[in-house]
């Protein structure tokens, strides 16, 4: 690569400004001959591909080939620069045209002609959906959000205009938290709720879709939850009149999940019959994961745990989910709900034991995901410790009765005490045997389930070796 002759040029310019004795023509250096002009041009432009070679004081000849190549390169560079300038100019013109179009839409929304306002709202809906975040941001900066919210006033009887405005607001909030916050700030939530009883179900579905989008923002969750939107979403989810689409029900369920994340909204949720509906809907595989997610948020509060426990067969329903090997996410969420309930409530632990949860938990510790296995183990440990406390309390009660028995003599007293101690030990042994038998039976039932799922022959019976193995495993791992 050729080097820029900046030093040579600098020295020439310096000599021109400060003539010395060696300068020609009366102390003035002549810079305006053609060869020197070429040197200055190449030096200033840093001609990296230049093939010219300059010697000290020798600026004689430049080859014809070098000139052609240099000319071709200059022409190519000029073309690239021209293309870049054209692209920038085109982008600038397109940007100006787009801005003018957006301003025209805003102007139509500001007018009094409802037909033109409705058409403008439809244009906003399409542009916000198809033209990306920059257009949504620009429309919001131009003040389109308050204008669209104003079209939701109850005195506007044009349902088509309301629907156009609702979906325009919905698309403006996609991927833009500032727009979501602005929509709620200008009072859109209360105006939406005023339209919820519209005879046209499309209006209700558009409102539910907006609640889903707006509730995704954390700062909006408490505002929407306290506005009265939760009962509306619950009614849409239950759909007793069967007038809403499946999509509207899904949107309502997802919006309720978003709102249940905020603890202050749980009290509003418990004022409805949502908990009972969710527990009894758990068998529907299409919505079970979202349903269990909401219950997982509710069980984190004492009120939520109490509401879940109050639902009939809530624990057996959760236990059934533990065997859904084809839905590990549901297993994890159900095991979380049961783990919290077992940890916090003695009554729930007792219900779990009576329902025979040990078998399902043991199966989950073998075939569940790592998280489900950990939660199942914690539930088993909690139940085992609870059982141990029961036996310990019973043992202490019997021991107290022994000590407080009448003393008739030292030898007889010792004999009675010793005899009663043997009786207590026998009772303890019976308790241990009962626990071992329960766990062993659970292991064997679990084995039969595994055999059934493996499609083995129906007359398959666990061998004596397996029975002895489960017995030893029970005595080692669950000894009190």
């Amino acid at each position: 690569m050729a080097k820029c002759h900046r030093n040579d040029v600098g020295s020439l310019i310096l000599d021109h400004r400060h003539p010395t004795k060696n300068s020609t023509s009366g102390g003035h250096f002549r810079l305006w001959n053609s060869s020197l002009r070429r040197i200055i041009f190449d030096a200033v432009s840093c001609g990296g591909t230049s093939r010219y070679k300059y010697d000290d004081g020798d600026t004689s000849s430049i080859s014809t080939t070098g000139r052609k190549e240099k000319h071709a390169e200059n022409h190519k560079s000029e073309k690239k620069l021209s293309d870049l300038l054209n692209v920038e100019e085109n982008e600038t013109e397109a940007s100006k045209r787009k801005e003018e179009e957006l301003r025209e839409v805003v102007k139509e929304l500001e007018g009094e002609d409802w037909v033109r306002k409705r058409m403008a709202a439809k244009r906003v809906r399409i542009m916000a959906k198809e033209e990306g975040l920059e257009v949504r941001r620009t429309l919001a900066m131009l003040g389109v959000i308050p204008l669209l919210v104003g079209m939701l006033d109850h005195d506007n009887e044009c349902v088509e205009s309301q629907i156009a405005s609702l979906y325009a607001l919905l698309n403006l909030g996609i991927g833009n938290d500032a727009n979501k916050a602005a929509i709620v700030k200008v009072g859109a939530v209360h105006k939406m709720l005023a339209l919820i009883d519209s005879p046209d179900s499309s209006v209700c579905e558009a409102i539910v879709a907006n609640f889903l989008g707006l509730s995704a923002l954390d700062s909006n969750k408490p505002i929407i939850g306290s506005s009265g939107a939760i009962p509306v979403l619950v009614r849409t989810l239950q759909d007793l009149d069967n007038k809403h689409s499946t999509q509207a029900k899904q949107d309502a369920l997802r919006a309720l999940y978003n709102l249940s994340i905020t603890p202050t909204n749980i009290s509003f949720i418990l004022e409805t019959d949502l908990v009972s509906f969710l527990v009894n809907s758990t068998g529907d595989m299409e919505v079970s994961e979202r349903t269990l997610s909401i219950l997982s948020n509710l069980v984190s509060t004492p009120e939520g745990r109490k509401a879940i426990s109050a639902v009939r067969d809530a624990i057996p329903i959760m236990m059934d989910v533990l065997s859904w090997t084809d839905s590990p996410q549901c297993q994890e969420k159900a095991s979380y709900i049961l783990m919290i309930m077992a940890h916090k409530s003695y009554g729930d632990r007792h219900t779990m034991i009576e329902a025979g949860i040990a078998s399902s938990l043991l199966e989950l510790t073998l075939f569940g995901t790592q998280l489900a296995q950990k939660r199942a183990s914690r539930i088993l440990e909690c139940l085992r410790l609870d059982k141990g406390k029961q036996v310990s309390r019973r043992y202490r009660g019997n021991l107290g009765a022994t000590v407080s028995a009448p003393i008739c003599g030292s030898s007889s007293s010792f004999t009675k005490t010793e005899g009663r101690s043997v009786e207590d030990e026998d009772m303890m042994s019976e308790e241990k045997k009962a626990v071992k038998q329960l766990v062993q039976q659970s292991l064997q039932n679990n084995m039969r389930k595994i055999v059934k799922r493996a499609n083995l022959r129906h007359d398959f019976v666990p061998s004596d070796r397996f029975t002895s193995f489960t017995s030893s495993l029970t005595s080692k791992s669950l000894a009190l």
Side-chain angles (χ1 to χ4, degrees), residues 2-259:
K3 297 181 178 178
C4 299
H5 300 279
R6 297 186 184 275
N7 294 334
D8 295 340
V9 177
S11 63
L12 290 174
I13 295 174
L14 181 63
D15 290 340
H16 174 64
R17 293 181 179 177
H18 304 284
T20 62
K21 296 179 180 180
N22 296 328
S23 302
T24 61
S25 302
H28 295 280
F29 195 91
R30 298 182 182 277
L31 295 174
W32 307 110
N33 59 71
S34 60
S35 59
L36 288 179
R37 285 200 302 272
R38 175 63 63 181
I39 293 173
I40 294 172
F41 176 78
D42 289 341
V44 173
S45 61
C46 287
T49 59
S50 175
R51 297 188 179 182
Y52 310 138
K53 183 178 180 181
Y54 304 105
D55 296 328
D56 295 338
D58 183 12
T59 58
S60 57
S61 63
I62 301 174
S63 65
T64 304
T65 304
R67 285 177 181 160
K68 290 181 178 179
E69 291 180 359
K70 186 67 176 179
H71 180 72
E73 284 192 17
N74 290 338
H75 179 71
K76 189 175 181 180
S77 299
E78 291 175 0
K79 188 175 184 305
K80 288 182 178 180
L81 180 60
S82 176
D83 292 340
L84 290 173
L85 292 175
N86 290 334
V87 170
E88 184 177 357
E89 184 177 355
N90 293 335
E91 290 179 351
T92 303
E93 292 178 357
S95 178
K96 289 181 179 179
R97 287 196 299 270
K98 177 56 66 177
E99 185 175 352
E100 291 176 359
E101 181 183 359
L102 297 179
R103 290 185 181 276
E104 181 182 352
V105 171
V106 176
K107 186 176 181 181
E108 291 179 356
L109 287 172
E110 291 174 340
E112 300 296 332
D113 188 342
W114 276 97
V115 175
R116 298 177 69 87
K117 288 167 70 76
R118 182 169 65 252
M119 296 302 296
K122 290 181 178 180
R123 289 176 64 186
V124 172
R125 173 184 179 180
I126 295 173
M127 287 188 294
K129 179 181 179 181
E130 297 180 353
E131 299 187 20
L133 291 172
E134 189 61 34
V135 169
R136 296 170 202 153
R137 188 181 300 113
T138 303
L139 285 169
M141 292 175 62
L142 293 174
V144 74
I145 290 177
L147 297 174
L148 291 171
V149 173
M151 293 177 65
L152 300 178
D153 288 332
H154 192 60
D155 55 359
N156 175 24
E157 297 181 357
C158 182
V159 174
E160 189 177 355
S161 297
Q162 294 170 350
I163 294 175
S165 176
L166 286 168
Y167 281 110
L169 291 169
L170 174 65
N171 290 345
L172 285 172
I174 296 175
N176 193 312
D177 290 345
N179 286 359
K180 288 186 178 74
I183 292 170
V184 172
K185 188 175 181 180
V186 297
V189 173
H190 295 285
K191 290 190 176 184
M192 290 178 186
L193 290 174
L195 300 176
I196 202 66
D197 294 326
S198 172
D200 192 331
S201 61
S202 299
V203 176
C204 180
E205 293 181 2
I207 292 173
V208 171
N210 269 277
F211 284 155
L212 170 59
L214 297 175
S215 63
L217 184 64
D218 288 342
S219 60
N220 286 345
K221 288 181 173 65
I223 299 175
I224 297 174
S226 60
S227 67
I230 289 177
V232 172
L233 294 171
V234 172
R235 288 201 306 268
T236 304
L237 178 61
Q238 294 175 344
D239 192 18
L240 300 178
D241 299 329
N242 196 27
K243 65 177 183 178
H244 297 299
S245 64
T246 303
Q247 183 62 51
K249 296 177 184 178
Q250 290 283 350
D251 291 345
L253 184 63
R254 294 168 62 191
L256 287 168
Y257 168 72
N258 289 342
L259 296 175

